[in-house]
Amino acid sequence: IERNNMQNNQMNPLEQGAPWLANYGDVPFHLEYPNVSIADAVLKTAEKEKDFPAISFMGKTFSYTVLVEKINQAAAGFVALGVKKGDMITICMPNVPQAVFCMYALNRIGAVASMIHPLSAVSEIIYYLREVKSDYLLTLDQFYSKVAEVEKTYPIKKVIITSAADELGAVKSAAFKLMNAKKNKVNKADASVIFWKDFIGNGKKVDLAKYIVHMPANETAVILFSGGTTGVTKGIQLSGMNFNALGLQTAAMCNSVVRHARMLAAMPIFHGFGLGVCIHTMLEVGGTSILVPQFNVKKYAELIKKEKPNYIAGVPTLFEAITRNPYLDGEKLDYLRGVFSGGDSLSVELKRRFDAFLEAHGATVHVREGYGTTECVTASCLTPYNQEREGSIGLPYPDTYYQICAVGTNDEVPYGELGEICLRGPSVMKGYLNHKEENANTLRTHSDGHVWLHTGDLGSMDKDGFIYFKQRIKRMIVTSGYNVYPSQLENIIDGHDAVQMSCVIGVKDPYKMEKVLAYVVLRDGFEPSEELRQDILNYCKKHIAKYAMPYTIEFRSELPKTLVGKIAYTVLEKEANADLAKELVS
């Protein structure tokens, strides 16, 4: 639809429920998406980019031509192991080149990559393997002992063992192996084990052309695991269309040159944010993905200085860590074209601090907060390039429609009212694996005939189409009959001069049902004291309704984090309620 038509209110009826279009600027709302697999999309880009760096890892670069060679070698290796179309293969890896090669290699032969966290507990890995019925697993040598424990309960046909050094080149590889020789011992007598060198070597005997499968875009390409709306870990089936659409949508929303740009991939490959935005988007549009295998704020800062990326993306705790440390002092960040925050709610105060940090370091951009769920790969909404609204997560991605519905219904609420965030678009998942009832609850057909994803998140939309995320619907404290939303309180508490970050939870209470407890990490230069506790509580009284006031502030040197860096508020909830139970018993 041409923009001048929209300005004259001559919109197609389909666009009537899209008030955000008036604020979209130069970004096209409708895009064309290739009807190809994720591997074919990247291989097509490689035909054009050839010698341009596709991946950078620990100082070594892989051109697009080399990337294709590596994908084909891994694909042949899988064929030699007996992997065939439709098989589910588990990739239990951090951000290293082999994980990227193998994910696309599996797609190349019609198999499906199930991506899981290498730091998962043994019982969790067994659960993931059983959910997808996986007989093959790829992991690093440093995680072998854990996989050996898994095999005592869940036999695996082949465990492909590789090392971060295997793709570093002779000199760097030798140095890396020397430093890690004592740490990464693998039982060579284990019949299920095959080493990376042998895995690739076996593939040389395979005529790969006979086994290539050009998967339709609507077929499952990748399985990612997420809690969904029920909190029970489920495998999310994501198609080639889901990933390819996300890549083009993200590039369009950047509203700056992404082709031949460089992006730090610090978010993990087993997370939709890391895989979808930091890796696949860059490889689909011809950029460079700089793989970061492990986050450490000092090394991350050093990598920024060395690589001078055009785009960085992360969860709020990453940006919080950067602002707390001096590692980027004196660095001019004028090479940044985009800084994106997602995966968790970015408080207003942290955004202000990080924007000030960027300005002080010569950057011409501010952090742009996004929103998404693994059920649509990752981002589906982003602060637009041309305007910000405090507290808003932005506007829907191209070809993505948002509705705010009354909780528990398919009925849209008026602008400004709270409800469940619902969306539809080309990145929405095929469904959960093995969870039909949850699919029915999450993917619902509305009165307009379209299937909408019910996210389980609470939010609102203003009359201009800007979306405001409040929190997970389940993460709501009900005290004395009133609904209290922790993220709103956290935004307020974070505004105190002494507070670096906070987490608000509900603690069971026999009278109020739940009472509010706040955990606080102090900024450098402040020490915990009763006087400071009272000062923060007095500050809260000025901004928080009496019924929502924390009954106390508990100081912590740090807050527990999930494996992908979010604040693990459920851990704090369990702790607090367990302590309460002990008190009642005593």
Side-chain angles (χ1 to χ4, degrees), residues 131-206:
E131 276 292 285
V132 302
K133 298 180 173 61
S134 178
D135 291 325
Y136 302 85
L137 183 143
L138 167 72
T139 195
L140 288 183
D141 50 3
Q142 67 196 77
F143 304 118
Y144 169 75
S145 60
K146 186 184 295 184
V147 174
E149 286 297 312
V150 168
E151 288 191 279
K152 293 177 182 178
T153 301
Y154 185 98
I156 304 172
K157 280 185 181 179
K158 281 296 177 185
V159 179
I160 306 160
I161 298 290
T162 185
S163 161
D166 283 338
E167 292 293 340
L168 285 178
V171 176
K172 286 187 177 181
S173 176
F176 186 93
K177 287 180 178 177
L178 184 64
M179 289 188 296
N180 294 276
K182 294 181 180 179
K183 298 180 183 178
N184 307 327
K185 292 184 178 180
V186 178
N187 181 8
K188 296 181 180 179
D190 187 338
S192 68
V193 166
I194 181 170
F195 289 93
W196 183 255
K197 183 179 178 181
D198 297 324
F199 168 71
I200 296 299
N202 289 347
K204 292 178 180 178
K205 306 168 189 175
V206 171

Side-chain angles (χ1 to χ4, degrees), residues 22 38 89 117 120 192 304 320 337 360 445 472 474 540 546:
I38 55 174
I89 313 302
H117 199 313
S120 300
S192 68
I304 288 176
E320 182 268 336
R337 300 177 197 165
T445 302
R472 297 289 291 173
K474 288 184 67 176
C540 289
K546 186 176 180 180

Side-chain angles (χ1 to χ4, degrees), residues 246-452:
L246 175 84
L248 297 181
Q249 290 170 326
T250 301
M253 288 296 279
C254 285
N255 196 50
S256 63
V257 179
V258 181
R259 180 178 180 242
H260 288 189
R262 299 161 60 75
M263 184 174 209
L264 273 189
M267 294 300 293
I269 193 170
F270 48 81
H271 188 277
F273 197 177
L275 178 56
V277 171
C278 302
I279 295 175
H280 185 68
T281 293
M282 298 309 290
L283 298 183
E284 184 182 11
V285 302
T288 302
S289 182
I290 304 163
L291 301 181
V292 183
Q294 184 178 19
F295 178 75
N296 170 289
V297 65
K298 184 177 181 179
K299 290 181 179 178
Y300 185 78
E302 290 172 351
L303 201 56
I304 288 176
K305 289 189 220 179
K306 179 182 177 182
E307 298 282 359
K308 301 191 183 307
N310 307 115
Y311 297 98
I312 59 175
V315 293
T317 49
L318 180 151
F319 300 120
E320 182 268 336
I322 291 174
T323 61
R324 289 185 68 178
N325 292 281
Y327 304 127
L328 285 174
D329 285 0
E331 177 70 5
K332 193 173 183 182
L333 300 175
D334 56 348
Y335 40 80
L336 289 176
R337 300 177 197 165
V339 179
F340 307 107
S341 175
D344 203 354
S345 182
L346 177 71
S347 75
V348 172
E349 287 301 320
L350 178 54
K351 174 170 168 51
R352 287 174 183 165
R353 286 202 299 273
F354 197 69
D355 284 346
F357 176 90
L358 290 169
E359 290 177 11
H361 288 76
T364 59
V365 295
H366 283 179
V367 61
R368 294 169 64 183
E369 185 175 10
Y371 163 84
T373 67
T374 313
E375 285 81 355
C376 56
V377 186
T378 178
S380 60
C381 182
L382 182 67
T383 300
Y385 72 94
N386 55 351
Q387 60 177 306
E388 297 176 1
R389 293 198 180 180
E390 191 170 90
S392 171
I393 52 174
L395 304 177
Y397 262 24
D399 295 301
T400 301
Y401 295 84
Y402 268 59
Q403 280 186 357
I404 309 298
C405 293
V407 176
T409 77
N410 298 346
D411 302 325
E412 193 171 6
V413 301
Y415 295 135
E417 288 192 14
L418 282 178
E420 183 176 15
I421 297 174
C422 302
L423 62 100
R424 64 178 179 85
S427 67
V428 171
M429 67 174 180
K430 292 183 65 178
Y432 298 116
L433 187 67
N434 307 325
H435 289 271
K436 290 183 178 180
E437 184 177 344
E438 182 70 1
N439 283 332
N441 291 332
T442 304
L443 298 171
R444 303 185 198 170
T445 302
H446 287 196
S447 58
D448 60 7
H450 294 291
V451 175
W452 293 78

Side-chain angles (χ1 to χ4, degrees), residues 445-512:
T445 302
H446 287 196
S447 58
D448 60 7
H450 294 291
V451 175
W452 293 78
L453 170 68
H454 283 242
T455 65
D457 288 336
L458 195 68
S460 62
M461 181 194 300
D462 67 22
K463 61 182 178 60
D464 297 319
F466 281 81
I467 312 299
Y468 297 81
F469 169 81
K470 296 302 177 185
Q471 66 184 57
R472 297 289 291 173
I473 289 173
K474 288 184 67 176
R475 196 190 170 203
M476 181 173 70
I477 301 168
V478 181
T479 178
S480 298
Y482 292 98
N483 294 343
V484 176
Y485 304 112
S487 59
Q488 293 179 338
L489 272 58
E490 288 159 3
N491 276 339
I492 292 168
I493 296 169
D494 289 353
H496 190 281
D497 291 340
V499 176
Q500 181 67 38
M501 62 195 309
S502 63
C503 182
V504 171
I505 66 165
V507 180
K508 292 178 182 177
D509 184 83
Y511 177 65
K512 296 183 176 182

